[in-house]
Amino acid sequence: MMIYTCSAQHAAVNAGQFDFGAWMPNFPSAMRKPPPKTKGQASLKSYKETIPEINTTANIISVLWLLSQPVFCLIPLGQYPNHHFTEKVPLKLITTFEAHLHKISNEIKKRNKSLVKKELLTKQDASLLVIYKYLDPAEMENSVSI
């Protein structure tokens, strides 16, 4: 549970914040008025009065951008560079864990590659395509690092 919380759960919550939150209607950082209580009561005027002011949005977007930046000294999940474990049983467990993570990473990369090929057949602009990489063990930090 500890490994999951400090790696996969953190990556799932943290890594995509900018991708999803940079478009303010997806992720309003504040609301100046409460949302409508009944369906069909919203109007463009009430929407504009409810969403955050531009300076609030800009501040939040800069924080999301900062939090979503790749770690410059990434140690991928399952990698233990300090060799804390020397006994046979932990080393065997680590090897099994690394192999499982490698398999998951390959499946994600394969799925993303097929998505790109499929999308490029219908859209010529690959820059519009968002590849899912947040839970790829090869790109996921070994622990929480901010």
Side-chain angles (χ1 to χ4, degrees), residues 1-15 77 97 101 104 132 134-137 140-144:
M1 188 58 153
M2 180 68 91
I3 291 171
Y4 169 77
T5 301
C6 293
S7 61
Q9 184 183 28
H10 183 261
V13 172
N14 187 60
L77 179 62
F97 184 51
L101 292 173
I104 292 170
Y132 184 83
Y134 309 120
L135 292 179
D136 181 347
M140 186 187 311
E141 180 68 31
N142 203 1
S143 65
V144 175

Side-chain angles (χ1 to χ4, degrees), residues 1 4 16 25 39 50 54-55 58 66 92 115 122:
M1 188 58 153
Y4 169 77
K39 205 170 189 171
T50 302
I54 195 162
N55 60 337
L66 182 64
K92 184 174 179 176
L115 175 66
T122 57

Side-chain angles (χ1 to χ4, degrees), residues 7 19 22-23 34 63 69 73-74 97 103-104 114 120-121 124:
S7 61
D19 293 343
W23 172 240
V63 169
Q69 291 303 298
C73 57
L74 175 78
F97 184 51
K103 181 180 176 191
I104 292 170
S114 71
L120 289 178
L121 293 175
Q124 293 303 312

Side-chain angles (χ1 to χ4, degrees), residues 2-121:
M2 180 68 91
I3 291 171
Y4 169 77
T5 301
C6 293
S7 61
Q9 184 183 28
H10 183 261
V13 172
N14 187 60
Q17 288 183 87
F18 183 77
D19 293 343
F20 296 104
W23 172 240
M24 186 277 310
N26 280 348
F27 199 76
S29 56
M31 294 178 72
R32 294 182 287 159
K33 286 185 167 182
K37 295 196 185 313
T38 56
K39 205 170 189 171
Q41 298 300 309
S43 66
L44 182 57
K45 182 180 185 286
S46 67
Y47 174 73
K48 287 180 177 180
E49 291 171 349
T50 302
I51 61 174
E53 293 177 346
I54 195 162
N55 60 337
T56 303
T57 299
N59 287 334
I60 293 302
I61 287 175
S62 64
V63 169
L64 294 177
W65 179 83
L66 182 64
L67 289 174
S68 296
Q69 291 303 298
V71 180
F72 68 90
C73 57
L74 175 78
I75 300 172
L77 179 62
Q79 303 296 311
Y80 305 100
N82 295 334
H83 306 290
H84 293 293
F85 307 101
T86 57
E87 299 88 359
K88 285 183 180 182
V89 173
L91 289 175
K92 184 174 179 176
L93 291 171
I94 289 169
T95 301
T96 303
F97 184 51
E98 287 174 342
H100 188 65
L101 292 173
H102 187 70
K103 181 180 176 191
I104 292 170
S105 183
N106 285 340
E107 288 173 8
I108 290 171
K109 285 178 176 68
K110 183 179 175 183
R111 194 176 317 134
N112 283 341
K113 191 180 263 188
S114 71
L115 175 66
V116 169
K117 286 180 181 177
K118 191 183 301 180
E119 282 294 316
L120 289 178
L121 293 175

